[in-house]
Amino acid sequence: MTSVITLLTDYGLEDGYVAACHGVIAGIAPEARVIDVCHLIPSGDVRRGAAILAQTIPYLPVGIHIGAVDPSAGGARRAVAVEAGGRVFIGPDNGLLSWAVHASGGAEAAYAISNDEHFLRPVSPTFHGRDVFSPVAGRLFGGLRPADLGPEVPIGRLVTLPAPTSLLREGSVEGEVVSVDRYGNTQLSIAVGDLHALGVRVGDTLGVWLGRRQLSLPYRETFAAVPPGELVAFADSAGLIAIAVNSGDAAQRLGLPPGAHVRLAPTP
């Protein structure tokens, strides 16, 4: 099917969890190339994991993609394999995979991962990344069909996260903070095209409403276009508007967590 298996988790890098997953895959599919998407997702932050996976998937080879941000591991949530755009996504059915599946053209088929003959033994109830997702990925790499993993799941029954949205109205655009990266840059659900529709171009000044607070920010090509310590709005590598501080942390300064409401408008 592919030469690539990818891994996205919230396991961190301080422990041996990521290495254990790599080891399981290598033991079953030694020819596979494993790409680490990210292992520093904030613990249990399904939305952040979903955003990173969806924004990275267009640049990854078609392959088998493991997502393991799983705060309900060991609970009632099911594990699934979802086929989309020639890819297979493996992980918990908690919405983590949903945005990446959509970015790949939408789900074509989905299966519950319940056939335990493909798992490691014994299965830890808290480490499905090692004992379920990694061995299943290795066996899919070797030719196992997703349909052999368990019963089919109706696509409409898959858990999906509400998609970040933006709304153009009355000369402004409203959106939300999609995610905050390690630099403190706040990525909004507002796309570059939304600002273009309002007549905003690079070099203009933006009115920014954060709840009851109002700011005026320069809209530039990059955060480096303003002096260190200054706030700036720019289009990030995903084509979304971000608010940053040159050499600083915008999320901390402005108190903008994921999900916070933001409104932008051109200034006169």
Side-chain angles (χ1 to χ4, degrees):
M1 174 188 291
T2 175
S3 63
V4 170
I5 296 173
T6 74
L7 271 169
L8 175 137
T9 77
D10 60 355
Y11 294 160
L13 300 174
E14 298 88 352
D15 304 294
Y17 303 134
V18 174
C21 293
H22 273 264
V24 169
I25 293 169
I28 296 170
E31 303 86 1
R33 179 184 178 192
V34 180
I35 296 176
D36 294 294
V37 176
C38 183
H39 298 296
L40 298 176
I41 304 298
S43 179
D45 191 341
V46 174
R47 185 182 176 87
R48 174 71 171 149
I52 288 181
L53 187 58
Q55 292 173 23
T56 307
I57 203 69
Y59 307 100
L60 295 173
V62 170
I64 300 161
H65 307 284
I66 300 171
V69 181
D70 196 8
S72 297
R77 72 96 184 99
R78 62 188 162 197
V80 291
V82 183
E83 295 182 286
R87 306 176 187 270
V88 180
F89 294 89
I90 298 170
D93 186 21
N94 62 3
L96 173 66
L97 309 176
S98 60
W99 293 352
V101 166
H102 176 75
S104 301
E108 297 157 6
Y111 304 91
I113 301 176
S114 58
N115 188 345
D116 60 9
E117 71 177 275
H118 305 303
F119 304 168
L120 291 191
R121 286 285 185 269
V123 174
S124 165
T126 60
F127 200 177
H128 286 184
R130 178 194 66 191
D131 297 341
V132 178
F133 304 147
S134 292
V136 162
R139 292 185 168 91
L140 288 173
F141 181 91
L144 184 73
R145 299 180 307 148
D148 295 329
L149 297 173
E152 188 166 5
V153 176
I155 290 171
R157 298 289 298 276
L158 293 170
V159 176
T160 59
L161 296 179
T165 59
S166 61
L167 177 64
L168 283 163
R169 65 179 181 185
E170 299 177 359
S172 67
V173 57
E174 298 180 10
E176 62 180 294
V177 176
V178 176
S179 65
V180 177
D181 68 16
R182 66 186 297 268
Y183 303 104
N185 300 329
T186 59
Q187 182 188 67
L188 308 181
S189 59
I190 298 169
V192 174
D194 295 328
L195 290 188
H196 287 174
L198 295 173
V200 177
R201 297 294 185 269
V202 171
D204 292 345
T205 300
L206 278 174
V208 181
W209 286 261
L210 312 171
R212 295 182 178 181
R213 290 181 295 165
Q214 180 179 354
L215 306 170
S216 292
L217 297 185
Y219 178 47
R220 302 292 186 262
E221 287 189 343
T222 174
F223 49 83
V226 299
E230 294 296 315
L231 284 158
V232 64
F234 68 100
D236 72 7
S237 60
L240 298 174
I241 302 303
I243 298 174
V245 173
N246 186 5
S247 303
D249 188 320
Q252 185 178 61
R253 181 184 296 190
L254 299 174
L256 282 179
H261 181 266
V262 178
R263 181 164 68 91
L264 306 179
T267 57

